[in-house]
Amino acid sequence: MIEIFHHLVYGLQIATTPTNLFYAFIGCLVGTLIGVLPGIGPAGGIALLIPLTFGKEPASAIILLAGIYYGAMYGGSTTSILLNVPGEAASVVTTLDGYQMAQKGRAGAALSIAALGSFIAGTIGLVLLMLLAPPLARAALKFGPAESFALMFFGLSTVTSLAGKSLRKGMVATTLGLMLSTVGSDLPTGIIRFTFGIANLMEGIDVVVLAIGLFAVSEVLTSTEEMAAGEFVVEKLSRIWLSLKEFMQSLGAIIRGSFLGFFIGVLPGAAHVTASFLSYTLEKKMASDPDNFGKGDIRGVAAPESANNAAACGALIPLLTLGLPASAVTAVLYSALLITGIRPSPFLFDKHPDVTWGLIGSMYIGNVMLLILNLPLVALWVKVLRTPARWLFPIVMVISFVGVYSVNASSLDLLMATGLGILGYIMRKLDYPLAPVILGFVLGVLMEQSLRQTLMISGGSLEIFWKSPIAMILFLLSAIFVVLPRFLARRKGMHLA
Amino acid sequence: MKTERTGAIVVLLLGIGYLWKAFAMEDINIGDPLGPKAFPIFLGAIMTVLGFSLLIKPEAASTEKLFGRATFSVAALAGMLFIYSIAIGAIGYPVSTFFFLLLASRLLGEKISPAGIAIALFFSLGVFLLFTRVLDIHLPLWGMIRR
């Protein structure tokens, strides 16, 4: 314990040198800007800015990039809350209650709880990172393809069961997301699937295209209809700041979201997306008033935002302790470390303590910086909502289209985003939930891969799942989450009758 | 209820169409017991079953009508977005964005005025410069006009 404390002090000494403080600040600032602009996302943002690290000390380079990482994670929530435009897949769940809060004039409170929740989660995540990194890295190694498949199955089942009013419509949405994930070239065999001869679809549909189409475009279409029908109402902004009561109400959700997010973040795959969705469903499940979720409940913002940030800390564990990048963002960080002459390996903590502990120290500093940077910005962001809707929506489209275009510089992606927007508009009208489409899409490729890997290992036998206690527990939990609420509701209905 | 059934028919047709394409796919599964077809076939089957289920026993009808008196505005904006999608590559980002902003805001109730033209000009150039100069993201300046 004392040793960890010494290491932390060492890390803080490195992180608080004027140069590194400056890099952490620039990283947070640029990261927040990237996060606010839809489409680029943390992984893309870091990749774009890797050239900035050329010629810098390894510790400074990684501190700069990590600042961009957590800045972008936080910034992504801003447009989700204000405009129902998720910058990336993990922010989708924040739109559910965040945007509803904004529509009720409580955008300031939603943005504040996102900032505070991210700060608390980041701090909890870092403490856990320091204390639990080695044992967790070993535990994560026990997660083979069978366990990964079971975890993703669990994530999809819980989200599907709680996403909307109807289980069947939730299942349609999830299956649609999974179907969209199969478009493109099948990685193991190279077979082209569902591209209809369109060469640009060989690499599949990008999640940015799907998220902006389904959420941003459909939101603008829905609002256009309301404006034309004279039903569009701009709620007056009530109190900007968060009340103590609201903070206390969210605290439990923040703490639970932080722990859940951290542990899921350690696991491979789209962990931060799963973490944000699962923490939301957990809160809804635990709430005595679950009907308030989706209508602007502050816990529905606090939980996924905290989980998202804590998952970012968790995701660093496989990278720093095993030298394995477990997510897109850590893969980019891995490349950045290689460029600076450092090869991530299980010996990184011993060989390069300045980098690892400097990074951990800088994350503490970065968390504080993000809070200082973002809380005053809340009042500024909220003013965006005062822009007349007849200008706001076209401008949102213009910026969103840059995000889509930046993926492949292709007009086809823009056409697809528009088409998906029309689909999202119709789905909203018919009460089909949109969020499970994104989760299904993000997890689809990984689920199919892990299922195929599992069956390759077992020679095609499903017994491998029964033999894994972790997988069995997760399957059992999935069944409980889906079946139990309906069974209880039916019994309650029978009693009432 | 009619709208619900229409939705169910679309889900069913999507499931059947996807299933048909999945079955028609080439199959290679050397050392891979599932191969590239099995997962899509499974998804197609689920979607088909869900479509049938929703058709036979529809959910309680959603409150909103699919088409209303404002549908024209939605269709007009969707049309503008389709044209804008193609125009970005054809005539470049700043020009297409300028016209999109002007026309979309007109559709939403803004009158075309010198102030409106100034706003459209400011944002089309501002967004272009922010992304291309500050963030180094490629956006076409003139599209195919100057090719």
Side-chain angles (χ1 to χ4, degrees), chain A residues 30 33-34 37-38 40 48-49 149 165-169 171-173 175-176 178-182 186 188-189 191-194 196 217 220-231 388-391 393-395 397-399 401-403 405-406 409 411 414-416 418-419 422 425-426 428-432 444-445 447-448 451-453 455-456 459-461, chain B residues 3-4 7-8 11 14-15 18 21-22 25-29 31-37 39-40 43-44 46-47 50-51 53-54 57-71 73-74 77-78 81-82 84-86 88-90 93 97 100-102 104-105 107-111 115-117 119-120 123 127 130-131 134-140:
Chain A
V30 175
L33 178 68
I34 283 174
L37 298 171
I40 304 173
L48 273 172
L49 297 168
F149 177 80
K165 292 173 204 154
S166 152
L167 176 65
R168 289 182 299 168
K169 286 185 174 179
M171 285 174 76
V172 168
T175 314
L176 179 66
L178 290 167
M179 281 175 156
L180 290 170
S181 77
T182 60
D186 174 50
T189 59
I191 296 240
I192 308 299
R193 305 190 294 185
F194 307 105
F196 301 96
V217 178
V220 170
L221 292 177
T222 307
S223 302
T224 300
E225 185 177 30
E226 287 169 1
M227 284 171 80
E231 293 162 1
R390 55 187 187 279
W391 280 110
F393 292 127
I395 290 168
M397 279 295 85
V398 161
I399 296 174
F401 267 36
V402 177
Y405 193 81
S406 68
S411 286
L414 297 172
L415 289 169
M416 271 200 297
T418 307
I422 296 170
Y425 164 77
I426 295 169
R428 282 165 187 247
K429 290 217 140 201
L430 296 176
D431 275 344
Y432 284 84
V445 175
M447 266 183 100
E448 186 184 4
L451 180 64
R452 283 164 77 173
Q453 283 167 358
L455 294 180
M456 274 188 222
S461 165
Chain B
T3 318
E4 282 297 311
V11 171
L14 177 69
Y18 182 88
K21 283 291 282 181
M25 208 187 292
E26 200 184 337
D27 201 6
I28 305 171
N29 50 2
D32 176 3
L34 272 190
K37 283 171 78 162
F39 191 67
L43 296 178
I46 292 179
M47 202 61 141
L50 285 168
S53 154
L54 286 165
K57 199 180 166 196
E59 296 284 347
S62 54
T63 46
E64 289 197 58
K65 282 184 183 168
L66 202 52
F67 300 108
R69 60 198 168 100
T71 306
S73 302
V74 177
L77 186 64
L81 286 170
F82 275 122
Y84 179 44
S85 302
I86 298 165
I88 288 179
Y93 186 84
T97 300
F100 172 76
L101 283 175
L102 214 56
S105 62
L107 178 76
L108 297 175
E110 175 78 29
K111 287 187 182 122
I117 292 172
I119 294 173
F123 274 98
V127 172
L130 171 71
F131 279 91
V134 182
L135 293 170
D136 208 18
I137 287 173
H138 167 74
L139 288 172

Side-chain angles (χ1 to χ4, degrees), chain A residues 23-355:
Chain A
Y23 286 137
F25 175 75
I26 293 293
C28 287
L29 188 69
V30 175
T32 307
L33 178 68
I34 283 174
V36 169
L37 298 171
I40 304 173
I46 298 174
L48 273 172
L49 297 168
I50 281 181
L52 287 182
T53 64
F54 291 166
K56 293 190 175 57
E57 287 288 316
S60 304
I62 202 76
I63 284 170
L64 175 69
L65 294 177
I68 297 170
Y69 179 20
Y70 37 82
M73 297 293 271
Y74 170 75
S77 61
T78 307
T79 46
S80 299
I81 291 168
L82 294 178
L83 305 165
N84 205 17
V85 178
E88 47 131 13
S91 308
V92 165
V93 77
T94 308
T95 61
L96 302 177
D97 280 277
Y99 185 61
Q100 288 297 324
M101 283 183 75
Q103 288 207 312
K104 289 177 179 168
R106 302 286 296 121
L111 289 168
S112 307
I113 202 66
L116 283 168
S118 300
F119 172 73
I120 297 170
T123 310
I124 292 176
L126 282 170
V127 173
L128 292 174
L129 173 67
M130 286 188 322
L131 298 177
L132 302 176
L136 270 182
R138 279 194 296 275
L141 283 179
K142 288 190 179 148
F143 255 72
E147 290 77 13
S148 293
F149 177 80
L151 176 72
M152 289 184 261
F153 185 82
F154 173 63
L156 278 185
S157 326
T158 50
V159 170
T160 304
S161 72
L162 290 169
K165 292 173 204 154
S166 152
L167 176 65
R168 289 182 299 168
K169 286 185 174 179
M171 285 174 76
V172 168
T174 307
T175 314
L176 179 66
L178 290 167
M179 281 175 156
L180 290 170
S181 77
T182 60
V183 174
S185 167
D186 174 50
L187 282 179
T189 59
I191 296 240
I192 308 299
R193 305 190 294 185
F194 307 105
T195 59
F196 301 96
I198 301 168
N200 286 22
L201 284 179
M202 296 254 280
E203 286 180 21
I205 301 167
D206 195 275
V207 68
V208 171
V209 178
L210 185 68
I212 288 187
L214 271 188
F215 282 83
V217 178
S218 77
E219 177 61 37
V220 170
L221 292 177
T222 307
S223 302
T224 300
E225 185 177 30
E226 287 169 1
M227 284 171 80
E231 293 162 1
F232 187 79
V233 184
V234 183
E235 290 283 339
K236 274 196 174 167
L237 280 172
S238 53
R239 199 168 23 85
I240 287 186
W241 299 108
L242 187 72
S243 70
L244 185 65
K245 190 183 160 206
E246 284 171 320
F247 177 70
M248 295 312 288
Q249 198 188 356
S250 313
L251 196 58
I254 291 172
I255 292 169
R256 281 186 291 274
S258 305
F259 278 90
L260 184 75
F262 178 80
F263 288 110
I264 291 181
V266 179
L267 304 172
H272 63 296
V273 183
T274 315
S276 63
F277 275 84
L278 273 183
S279 67
Y280 182 83
T281 43
L282 176 75
E283 283 313 308
K284 192 172 173 182
K285 203 86 186 161
M286 289 185 70
S288 56
D289 48 356
D291 289 344
N292 284 347
F293 280 76
K295 293 175 187 162
D297 193 308
I298 197 158
R299 292 165 294 177
V301 179
E305 279 304 309
S306 313
N308 193 359
N309 263 53
C313 294
L316 288 174
I317 287 187
L319 181 73
L320 296 180
T321 56
L322 301 170
L324 298 173
S327 66
V329 175
T330 46
V332 182
L333 279 177
Y334 181 93
S335 326
L337 279 170
L338 287 181
I339 290 169
T340 55
I342 289 172
R343 173 170 287 279
S345 71
F347 311 107
L348 191 65
F349 269 93
D350 296 329
K351 277 189 177 171
H352 298 283
D354 56 328
V355 173

